[in-house]
Amino acid sequence: MTTDGDQTYRVVPVRHYGRWVAAAVIAVLTAMVVHTIFSKIPTGQVACSTSNGVRLCHPIMEWRFGWDVVFQYFTSALMVKGLLITIELTLIAMLIGIVLGVLVAIMRLSPNRLLSIPAWIYTWFFRGTPVYVQLLFWFNFAALYKTIVLGVPFSSAHFFTFDTLNITAFIAATIGLGLNEAAYMSEIARAGLISVDEGQIEAATALGMTRAQTLRLVILPQAMRVILPPTGNEVISMLKTTSLAASIGVLELTGAAQNIYASNYKIMDLLICASLWYIIMTTILSIGQYYVERHFGRGALRNQPLTPIERLRRDVRGIAGKMHTSRPGVAQ
Amino acid sequence: MTDLMVDAKNIAKHYGNIEVLKGVNLQVKRGEVTCLIGPSGSGKSTLLRCINHLEKHDAGELFVDGNLVGYELKDNKLYERKSNEICQSRSEIGMVFQRFNLFAHLTVLDNITIGMIRVRGIAPDRAAEKARELLRRVGLENKESNYPSQLSGGQQQRVAIARALAMEPKLMLFDEPTSALDPELVGEVLDVMKDLANSGMTMIVVTHEMGFAREVADTVYFLDQGVIEESGEPQQVLSNPRSERLQGFLSKVL
């Protein structure tokens, strides 16, 4: 209600009939999807029992999506081990990707062409070939070089020799995913570095900071605000890309699922089982990403927005407050 | 020790084909306030930035506190100084920018202490103590934990002055310090600068504030098209301009 002088009028909101229809359609479709996901179907077998001389038979039913099998294997030793390997692969590959990526980005922005051109070639090469091929390449690296020797160039003196047959599937996957990621991270880091205002660099220089100090204390912390959101995406993407390592025999989550369904033929059940683990982990990562971005957003906004938890607490407090105080009457 | 803080002889600087400075001479005595005035594009800011070697001059000799800027003269050759030596000499010259350039990711206090801690190696608690003293001096003692984006332009510029003073500079350079401010905020920044001038700081100020130049400056230089057209005491330069170009300039800004 609103008042206009002494006269009051009733306010009639606009009716969105189209939205109501759309909402109804979506509600029905959602109900159908939920119903079919949690439906049971007959196995084709029949269970019979005799009581009081009457023989009763009924068809044996099972979950269409095999939920019992999914949860039977969800915390099985092989799947949990696969989960740990997936996490390990993601962390190591992202670590290589971020450190090397930032380094390549800094090289790329160097006025020295001997640094910027190799950095460009690195990105060009690793972005230009499929990551799956790169994994196969590192796994079969022994076909190219039997040993890797650390020594004086163009002489026989050496300190350290590595037999490339020792490159396990796990090492090949880590190197392959990490080097590939570095190419993408370098572009993300470069975008962040050039987003920092020139004036910030001048102010740091005028204070007498060295180039390294300016980079570490002034440019990188501010570039983080631009670098982090896409990096969060990269971590989430990497978590799922590690499943490619199954192809060279790493028993990470997908590899473990394949390993199990190769013997029991419960293909869909185990794929759902693995997918559930993936979606749980990406959800946790998304929440973490929100708080990390918030931390590095300091100073960029006048006031930090509330976190969802803070907002919930404020709303609860608001409702509780309203229940205690009597509301002033609305104009009649 | 010479009584000249800055001695610029025949400084020239060009960007590509554009000559920004065409042989500029400038002498600044210790404890004096020098104002550089002139139309935009006249080379005032470039000259200022040459003094702390943010820009490299192409020709001429530039001395700050008796030392050549950016070079060392040995056996009749000019050796370019190493970057850490240049950083060291820059840290002894304070600079205040038109756009404030406070570090956006740091609080007011951290903005002031970062140079003391990272460049001078002063202990963090000693640095914080000194930063609070400087904040009192510029009238912002209750703003130490704010971020720059939460301050007005005038407040940001006063923090920027405190940040420069924290390094205990022997010379302060101001590059149009009030040009980006709303008119009602100009006064608070000029007041801080006047206090600083009265305390005996050697200052070079690029400015469009003729009132400030008249009141505070010991010497005013008028730059136009990369040359010093006129210089002298503010009364003489601003009230009795001899050259036609300065007369034209003053009639536009006053």
Side-chain angles (χ1 to χ4, degrees):
Chain A
M1 311 259 182
T2 184
T3 55
D4 176 24
D6 296 335
Q7 189 69 31
T8 63
Y9 301 98
R10 188 164 163 257
V11 178
V12 183
V14 180
R15 263 46 164 181
H16 298 281
Y17 299 106
R19 288 186 200 170
W20 297 354
V21 173
V25 171
I26 288 168
V28 170
L29 285 175
T30 309
M32 285 169 70
V33 168
V34 170
H35 177 255
T36 184
I37 287 176
F38 295 102
S39 64
K40 286 191 162 183
I41 49 170
T43 55
Q45 290 165 314
V46 179
C48 294
S49 59
T50 315
S51 73
N52 300 335
V54 184
R55 194 175 145 81
L56 288 169
C57 287
H58 59 88
I60 298 176
M61 304 291 279
E62 65 174 2
W63 292 104
R64 182 187 287 275
F65 276 64
W67 293 116
D68 48 342
V69 184
V70 169
F71 287 104
Q72 179 195 334
Y73 284 101
F74 193 62
T75 51
S76 68
L78 203 56
M79 288 301 277
V80 171
K81 186 139 184 279
L83 173 70
L84 292 178
I85 294 173
T86 291
I87 294 172
E88 214 177 326
L89 261 180
T90 307
L91 289 181
I92 300 175
M94 277 315 292
L95 193 73
I96 295 173
I98 291 171
V99 172
L100 196 60
V102 170
L103 200 72
V104 170
I106 292 169
M107 283 172 65
R108 183 79 194 275
L109 293 172
S110 166
N112 184 346
R113 292 192 152 209
L114 283 176
L115 293 176
S116 67
I117 292 176
W120 181 84
I121 290 174
Y122 181 91
T123 314
W124 169 76
F125 182 78
F126 281 95
R127 265 200 327 188
T129 52
V131 63
Y132 180 47
V133 174
Q134 287 174 31
L135 287 186
L136 294 174
F137 178 88
W138 293 112
F139 188 53
N140 296 295
F141 192 66
L144 268 185
Y145 295 95
K146 293 270 172 285
T147 53
I148 295 171
V149 178
L150 183 68
V152 183
F154 307 110
S155 79
S156 60
H158 62 276
F159 320 110
F160 168 82
T161 308
F162 180 77
D163 186 349
T164 50
L165 285 172
N166 290 331
I167 297 180
T168 61
F170 182 81
I171 295 176
T174 321
I175 297 173
L177 293 171
L179 294 187
N180 184 264
E181 185 56 35
Y184 287 90
M185 277 308 303
S186 77
E187 287 298 284
I188 292 173
R190 190 166 70 95
L193 293 175
I194 56 182
S195 76
V196 177
D197 181 36
E198 190 76 22
Q200 299 282 311
I201 300 158
E202 279 186 0
T205 311
L207 276 180
M209 286 191 200
T210 61
R211 278 169 63 95
Q213 280 179 321
T214 305
L215 186 69
R216 191 160 49 84
L217 303 172
V218 176
I219 303 176
L220 273 179
Q222 294 189 64
M224 279 308 208
R225 201 171 59 82
V226 175
I227 293 174
L228 273 171
T231 303
N233 286 344
E234 290 296 309
V235 177
I236 288 169
S237 166
M238 174 64 78
L239 186 84
K240 296 171 296 167
T241 311
T242 53
S243 63
L244 286 178
S247 66
I248 55 173
V250 180
L251 286 183
E252 42 66 71
L253 210 40
T254 307
Q258 286 177 335
N259 200 295
I260 297 170
Y261 71 61
S263 58
N264 69 4
Y265 303 107
K266 304 268 186 198
I267 298 173
M268 295 309 274
D269 315 65
L270 279 146
L271 289 181
I272 291 170
C273 184
S275 303
L276 273 181
W277 273 123
Y278 281 115
I279 212 159
I280 288 171
M281 285 190 293
T282 51
T283 307
I284 294 170
L285 285 175
S286 310
I287 296 170
Q289 183 184 7
Y290 174 83
Y291 282 98
V292 173
E293 278 174 25
R294 214 179 124 79
H295 174 79
F296 280 96
R298 284 168 315 169
L301 298 169
R302 282 178 184 224
N303 293 301
Q304 282 269 30
L306 297 176
T307 66
I309 293 172
E310 284 170 346
R311 223 178 301 145
L312 188 72
R313 220 179 277 150
R314 179 199 60 188
D315 291 348
V316 168
R317 220 180 292 135
I319 292 165
K322 268 183 195 151
M323 293 199 313
H324 288 299
T325 55
S326 60
R327 287 164 65 198
V330 182
Q332 292 293 313
Chain B
M1 199 143 104
T2 152
D3 66 336
L4 285 181
M5 179 56 81
V6 175
D7 189 4
K9 295 173 182 165
N10 240 337
I11 299 298
K13 167 81 189 167
H14 61 81
Y15 299 111
N17 292 331
I18 307 161
E19 278 189 85
V20 188
L21 296 174
K22 306 170 193 166
V24 167
N25 292 295
L26 177 87
Q27 272 86 37
V28 179
K29 289 206 188 94
R30 271 170 216 288
E32 276 195 355
V33 177
T34 302
C35 283
L36 303 180
I37 61 170
S40 44
S42 58
K44 311 179 298 281
S45 292
T46 306
L47 178 59
L48 201 69
R49 293 156 63 86
C50 284
I51 292 170
N52 70 350
H53 212 51
L54 276 182
E55 303 278 358
K56 266 188 194 173
H57 53 283
D58 300 321
E61 285 180 318
L62 180 55
F63 294 90
V64 172
D65 206 10
N67 298 314
L68 265 182
V69 172
Y71 300 92
E72 197 181 356
L73 186 62
K74 253 193 323 204
D75 318 326
N76 248 352
K77 282 182 206 153
L78 282 177
Y79 289 89
E80 255 187 48
R81 283 188 189 277
K82 292 198 190 101
S83 61
N84 58 344
E85 292 173 338
I86 291 175
C87 288
Q88 167 65 30
S89 42
R90 272 197 197 116
S91 74
E92 293 166 3
I93 302 173
M95 183 146 190
V96 174
F97 300 87
Q98 181 178 357
R99 304 275 336 153
F100 329 131
N101 296 349
L102 291 179
F103 302 128
H105 63 303
L106 297 179
T107 61
V108 165
L109 194 78
D110 291 342
N111 261 283
I112 300 173
T113 57
I114 189 169
M116 288 192 269
I117 296 170
R118 302 293 185 159
V119 179
R120 285 271 189 273
I122 294 172
D125 46 341
R126 278 253 310 110
E129 200 178 302
K130 188 163 173 211
R132 292 198 179 97
E133 189 187 308
L134 285 164
L135 279 175
R136 263 197 300 282
R137 188 165 161 192
V138 299
L140 290 171
E141 54 270 53
N142 54 350
K143 297 286 185 194
E144 65 169 68
S145 45
N146 285 78
Y147 285 96
S149 60
Q150 296 166 324
L151 303 181
S152 73
Q155 291 171 331
Q156 288 191 51
Q157 194 61 298
R158 286 187 278 156
V159 173
I161 293 172
R163 175 175 70 176
L165 289 178
M167 305 297 284
E168 296 188 338
K170 52 190 179 189
L171 167 68
M172 285 282 285
L173 308 176
F174 294 84
D175 190 1
E176 303 198 25
T178 57
S179 297
L181 296 177
D182 290 338
E184 79 270 22
L185 301 176
V186 168
E188 62 187 64
V189 172
L190 291 182
D191 286 344
V192 169
M193 288 169 63
K194 278 177 206 164
D195 282 348
L196 195 58
N198 290 335
S199 74
M201 175 64 74
T202 313
M203 294 162 61
I204 304 179
V205 186
V206 172
T207 189
H208 292 291
E209 293 293 329
M210 295 305 146
F212 177 82
R214 190 186 298 271
E215 190 184 337
V216 182
D218 295 291
T219 317
V220 173
Y221 284 82
F222 171 64
L223 262 94
D224 193 25
Q225 296 172 15
V227 290
I228 297 211
E229 190 71 24
E230 221 172 307
S231 67
E233 286 176 13
Q235 286 305 326
Q236 172 214 325
V237 174
L238 298 175
S239 308
N240 300 305
R242 281 173 282 129
S243 70
E244 236 167 75
R245 282 199 273 187
L246 179 52
Q247 285 163 7
F249 174 72
L250 289 175
S251 72
K252 270 180 240 159
V253 295
L254 286 178

